[in-house]
Amino acid sequence: LPPGIVAQLEYENSAAQKNSSVNWKTVLLTTENGGPSFARRIPWMFRPMFLRNFYCWIVCLKLAKESDFVLMRHIPFDPFVFIFAPFVKNRISVHHSDEILELPLVAPGWQGRMASLLERVSGKFSLKFVKGILGVTREIAENELIRSGRKIPSGVYLNGIDVDAFPLADDRRNDEEINIVFVCSVFSAWHGLDKLIKSIENFSGSPPFPVIIHLVGEVDETQKKEISLLDSRVCIIMHGSMRKNDIMGVYSVADIGLASLALERKGITEATTLKVREMLAAGIPVYSTHRDSALPENFPYYFMRDEIVFEDLVEIAVKSKSFRRSDVRNISIPYISKENSMNAVCVWLENSFRDCHRSVVGR
């Protein structure tokens, strides 16, 4: 399981406990042992690829009978959608990306292209039978609504975090060096590590202080080779995958964090990524090349640019040294809270479907 997805669901499950007006249950189906308390292990006979989807739909049918709504994260290129989708009348389809454009990036080559082609068919069929559509941004929700070809309710389910569970980072910033942190589970194409490397190559000046860039996550061999060719003006530390407590140690020295830098490769221009929320909660300003749809325009701790320019990044990192961690966190909380995001979804459900609004199952 990708740690980012697990973290999203843990934040959701925690926020659900604080809402006494709605019975919201989070369900995670996985082939793995352990995991969070709300995870269910798929029986062994259903663990092979695609059969997992079959089992998922069986569970979905059961939950649909017990609940007013089932919020189901969209399963791309799913063959069983043609069998089960018509029978789940209260399903809200939840989308985190433009799946058709994302699949070739996840699996480059013919496999990704084939998966994308299948998704064009299966995804459109799935949307013919949903009660409503939710996207993590308005842009994604509107794209899926257009793909459905229907006039049904669509809304936004913003990513968010349990701010009580995510602490403020210690402040161990160094006035004589610049520390930049870039966190991903895996540095896939849409995170734009290559753009960061290119911006360093194009940087002709001399930074006012030594610059250290901390990469937290899996870096592939091609990326490591590109990093090795950079000159010594910038030090890049590849930490690999890290646990939350260890990441907090990196956050403690960070002047600024990086959001994803190439989301246009997924066909989207805005996002509500989890790492942005976690960095803001930790008290770290963010530099980005996409709009965050949960944050207001000109939000003082989110610096959006059309493209990454290393000189600009360095200047903002120096400027960010004067920001108090507590100010960054406190001003950000209303916009990054999972509880606020879920409450907004509940209001949307009630307003869109007034005939039934007693309980919700999120998946």
Side-chain angles (χ1 to χ4, degrees), residues 7-287:
Q8 286 179 45
L9 295 176
E10 286 177 332
Y11 293 141
E12 177 181 283
N13 184 63
S14 176
Q17 313 310 312
K18 302 173 185 177
N19 191 334
S20 59
S21 63
V22 176
N23 176 21
W24 184 307
K25 182 168 75 172
T26 299
V27 178
L28 168 63
L29 302 177
T30 173
T31 60
E32 299 179 6
N33 257 328
S37 60
F38 49 85
R40 300 184 188 179
R41 194 176 191 199
I42 297 172
W44 65 269
M45 70 284 289
F46 294 110
R47 287 176 199 160
M49 185 174 286
F50 291 119
L51 286 183
R52 306 169 199 168
N53 298 7
F54 180 82
Y55 180 76
C56 173
W57 280 105
I58 293 174
V59 173
C60 186
L61 285 169
K62 179 177 182 296
L63 295 174
K65 294 177 182 178
E66 302 170 353
S67 313
D68 295 315
F69 304 103
V70 176
L71 275 58
M72 184 174 177
R73 182 163 176 159
H74 177 68
I75 305 174
F77 64 99
D78 174 26
F80 295 105
V81 72
F82 298 102
I83 301 172
F84 291 102
F87 298 100
V88 185
K89 305 295 185 182
N90 54 354
R91 177 168 60 101
I92 308 293
S93 188
V94 182
H95 298 260
H96 289 245
S97 66
D98 184 321
E99 297 90 5
I100 292 173
L101 292 178
E102 183 183 45
L103 287 168
L105 298 176
V106 174
W110 71 267
Q111 291 177 315
R113 293 194 298 272
M114 180 60 70
S116 178
L117 183 62
L118 293 173
E119 168 59 21
R120 289 180 183 274
V121 180
S122 64
K124 188 173 181 62
F125 184 87
S126 174
L127 292 171
K128 287 183 178 296
F129 298 95
V130 298
K131 197 173 184 69
I133 294 170
L134 285 171
V136 292
T137 67
R138 168 54 60 185
E139 178 186 35
I140 290 173
E142 289 179 351
N143 287 345
E144 297 298 335
L145 185 62
I146 292 170
R147 184 155 74 125
S148 75
R150 301 169 62 201
K151 293 182 178 180
I152 56 176
S154 66
V156 180
Y157 185 13
L158 299 169
N159 281 325
I161 65 171
D162 180 353
V163 292
D164 295 331
F166 205 94
L168 187 71
D170 293 334
D171 193 349
R172 295 194 290 113
R173 287 175 286 185
N174 189 330
D175 288 337
E176 297 182 355
E177 65 184 29
I178 296 168
N179 282 275
I180 300 166
V181 61
F182 198 1
V183 180
C184 304
S185 298
V186 177
F187 283 90
S188 302
W190 59 85
H191 294 304
L193 177 57
D194 60 312
K195 286 192 169 187
L196 173 61
I197 293 170
K198 191 69 175 177
S199 73
I200 297 171
E201 292 174 341
N202 293 337
F203 180 52
S204 58
S206 179
F209 308 107
V211 178
I212 303 171
I213 299 177
H214 302 266
L215 301 182
V216 178
E218 295 182 22
V219 180
D220 66 31
E221 293 304 317
T222 300
Q223 292 164 335
K224 289 178 181 177
K225 183 176 180 181
E226 292 173 347
I227 291 170
S228 70
L229 298 175
L230 291 174
D231 62 43
S232 59
R233 288 177 301 169
V234 177
C235 173
I236 297 183
I237 301 175
M238 291 175 278
H239 295 274
S241 298
M242 301 178 75
R243 296 180 181 274
K244 178 180 174 181
N245 289 343
D246 297 323
I247 293 176
M248 294 304 295
V250 178
Y251 281 169
S252 69
V253 301
D255 298 302
I256 197 163
L258 295 177
S260 296
L261 302 174
L263 284 182
E264 73 281 357
R265 293 170 179 169
K266 296 174 68 174
I268 55 179
T269 61
E270 60 183 59
T272 57
T273 57
L274 205 61
K275 63 182 173 185
V276 168
R277 275 124 198 82
E278 292 179 345
M279 286 188 286
L280 291 174
I284 301 168
V286 176
Y287 186 99

Side-chain angles (χ1 to χ4, degrees), residues 69 92 131-134 152-155 344-357:
F69 304 103
I92 308 293
K131 197 173 184 69
I133 294 170
L134 285 171
I152 56 176
S154 66
V345 169
C346 292
V347 170
W348 174 78
L349 288 168
E350 185 168 7
N351 290 339
S352 300
F353 313 100
R354 290 187 177 275
D355 57 330
C356 56
H357 52 267

